Amino acid sequence: MKILILFLTFFKIGFFSFGGGYAMIGLMQGEILSHGWISAREYADIVAISQMTPGPIAVNAATYIGFKTAGFWGSFFATIGVFLPSFILVVVIAHLFRQFRENRFVSAAMKGIQPATVGLIASAVVFFSEMSIFTGELPIRHLFTPSAQASVFGVSPEGMLIFGIILLSVKRFKLGPIAAIALSGLLGILLIP
Amino acid sequence: MSEPKTHASLRALFVSFFKIGAFTIGGGLAMLPLIENEFVSRRGWVDEEEMLDILAVSQSLPGVIAINSSLFVGYRLRGIPGALAASAGMIIPSFVTILAIAIIFTQLENNDWVRRALSGIRAGVTALILLSAVKMGKKVLRNWRSTVIAAGAFLALVLGNVHFIAIISLSAAAGLVFYGLKKVRA
């Protein structure tokens, strides 16, 4: 039963995910956390680990969460779940390739989805900042539900420092993403109490 | 896109994508140039223009972009068996690596060094995602319509906890209203 729910959850994610990579982080988050399979912290760690391992983030997340929840077969069926929508769509679309590419309505819908993925990536920034440079949820999250504030909001000075160093080294000194991850891990060992 | 044109073996398809899947760190988009290089320049199984079409459609379909493009290339070369061989090559390295990490990590979770390194990495990843959001934003948000959609998606997710299926469907509908109802001036 658990395995079926895992499969269906990742099937849904596969069917409605656009924008790849970082956009997937925001997109999958609510769905995955709502099942209570893993904590928000663990989800952030999986994403962090995905940055250091081969393969797309969504596949990594499916494999990891599936294993954590229901062992090997959990990870197997979660991964098949995220893969299957692509398989179905590609086999259907491959015959209508040009028509699909040039269809007016498809391209109009895509023009709407593309900026939404920017919003999704921006929401992933908020989620990650709450797990690193801040402690607790940002106060703006409870704009409409003032009573629901669950955690006390604060700033993590060490997290803020590492964030600043990485931002600067990537932006100014063109540090590559893999080196940036390695550096931030090292800084974490040195600075985080 | 219907008849297979080459003699690409299933094994070669699997191996090509296995190599790309195993050696690209940092997610799907990083793989696209490698896929192009392997199949257009090195093996010559797909011509340049068709590859551009494949990569464009892979990004506009839902799902994992790297898997979509492996499926398209495999299907184009050897039909359904080709699609399965190519995508298996793409997925297996990631699957095996993460499985190993999941097994090890459940034992290391409470290790102090691992905890501190991961805290640092989360702060680093925050910076990387922020830079990527800014870069994407500069590229995509070119008029008020796209800015409204992006802001709407962001607020719906951050303030409202709206489900992602609703966000994707609404933004596609917004695209149709803004760009699909009248002839778009070029």
Side-chain angles (χ1 to χ4, degrees), chain A residues 9 12-22 24-28 30-31 41-42 44-45 47-61 63-64 67-68 71-72 75-76 79 82-83 86-91 93-95 97-98 100-101 104-106 108-126 128-129 131-133 140-145 158-160 162-163 166-167 170-171 176-178 180-182 184-190 192-193, chain B residues 1-2 20-29 31 49-50 52-72 75 80 83-84 87-88 90-91 93-99 101-103 105-106 109 112-134 136-141 145-147 149-151 153-155 157-161 163-165 167-169 171-177 179-184:
Chain A
T9 302
K12 256 197 299 191
I13 290 173
F15 235 115
F16 285 93
S17 57
F18 288 88
Y22 291 143
M24 301 282 271
I25 300 171
L27 192 138
M28 294 187 295
E31 177 73 27
R41 163 74 52 92
E42 250 182 306
D45 285 343
V47 174
I49 289 170
S50 292
Q51 302 298 303
M52 300 177 274
T53 53
I57 289 177
V59 175
N60 293 349
T63 307
Y64 187 94
F67 180 81
K68 208 56 210 216
F72 176 81
S75 71
F76 183 80
T79 307
V82 84
F83 157 81
S86 292
F87 180 72
I88 295 167
L89 286 168
V90 167
V91 170
I93 300 268
H95 294 286
F97 202 65
R98 276 287 145 78
F100 179 81
R101 181 126 159 70
R104 188 154 71 95
F105 297 109
V106 171
M110 279 313 301
K111 271 191 175 166
I113 291 174
Q114 210 180 24
T117 63
V118 177
L120 293 175
I121 300 176
S123 79
V125 178
V126 170
F128 255 82
S129 71
M131 293 281 144
S132 57
I133 59 180
I140 55 154
R141 277 198 190 257
H142 302 285
L143 213 56
F144 301 124
T145 50
E158 301 88 3
M160 201 63 107
I162 297 172
F163 170 80
I166 298 301
L167 201 61
V170 174
K171 188 95 185 115
I178 297 168
I181 300 286
S184 55
L186 191 68
L187 288 168
I189 292 172
L190 294 173
I192 303 276
Chain B
M1 194 71 206
S2 48
I20 295 169
F23 294 107
T24 329
I25 291 173
L29 284 172
M31 293 178 180
E49 195 193 340
E50 190 168 21
L52 289 178
D53 276 352
I54 288 178
L55 297 185
V57 176
S58 296
Q59 290 181 71
S60 47
L61 284 183
V64 180
I65 293 170
I67 293 180
N68 291 349
S69 28
S70 69
L71 283 166
F72 267 125
Y75 189 82
I80 286 180
L84 291 175
S87 54
M90 181 61 103
I91 292 171
S94 155
F95 183 75
V96 172
T97 313
I98 294 295
L99 207 57
I101 287 178
I103 294 167
F105 194 63
T106 36
E109 238 171 332
D112 204 44
W113 287 61
V114 172
R115 182 188 62 80
R116 272 149 52 200
L118 280 172
S119 293
I121 290 170
R122 284 199 298 271
V125 170
T126 309
L128 291 179
I129 304 176
L130 177 66
L131 290 171
S132 137
V134 171
M136 274 281 284
K138 275 186 190 156
K139 208 171 79 181
V140 174
L141 308 182
R145 292 181 184 90
S146 48
T147 311
I149 295 174
F154 174 77
L155 294 175
L157 209 60
V158 170
L159 301 184
N161 257 324
H163 197 269
F164 73 92
I165 294 180
I167 294 178
I168 293 295
S169 311
S171 57
L176 285 171
V177 170
Y179 306 104
L181 294 182
K182 54 178 192 287
K183 276 256 182 279
V184 186

Side-chain angles (χ1 to χ4, degrees), chain A residues 146-169:
Chain A
S147 56
Q149 177 116 22
S151 47
V152 182
F153 177 73
V155 173
S156 155
E158 301 88 3
M160 201 63 107
L161 182 62
I162 297 172
F163 170 80
I165 293 172
I166 298 301
L167 201 61
L168 198 71
S169 11

